[in-house]
Amino acid sequence: MPKIEPKIEPKIEPTSKSGPDGKRKSPPKPPSGDSRRGAMAGLVITIVILGVGWWLARDLTAASRMQDCLMSGRSNCNVIEPAR
């Protein structure tokens, strides 16, 4: 039976780079995609809010027209849609 030896990975020690004031500098962070994720979420929320507002405006307009018709004393206020 062959003997299995564990892998030994070399240790990499961070080099100490210091700035002009003697403090350590942190390595620059790579740009992440979080900024796009937030923008896309904002866009989706905006579209949903606009859609709900459009639907609500149409529904309230239809209700207002129906009330205006009924308040004028008419009895045939149902919307008649043409046959297709």
Side-chain angles (χ1 to χ4, degrees):
M1 185 180 282
K3 186 176 181 183
I4 301 174
E5 295 182 21
K7 287 185 180 178
I8 299 175
E9 295 183 18
K11 291 183 180 179
I12 301 173
E13 296 188 24
T15 58
S16 61
K17 293 183 180 179
S18 58
D21 58 354
K23 294 183 180 179
R24 281 188 167 180
K25 288 184 179 179
S26 61
K29 294 182 181 179
S32 62
D34 291 339
S35 62
R36 283 195 183 188
R37 186 177 296 161
M40 290 302 289
L43 181 63
V44 168
I45 290 171
T46 302
I47 290 171
V48 168
I49 289 174
L50 286 173
V52 169
W54 180 74
W55 170 77
L56 187 60
R58 283 182 48 126
D59 198 37
L60 289 175
T61 301
S64 175
R65 286 182 185 157
M66 181 66 73
Q67 285 180 354
D68 289 345
C69 180
L70 291 172
M71 292 298 285
S72 67
R74 292 187 247 164
S75 60
N76 58 347
C77 294
N78 289 338
V79 177
I80 301 173
E81 296 198 21
R84 291 184 182 190

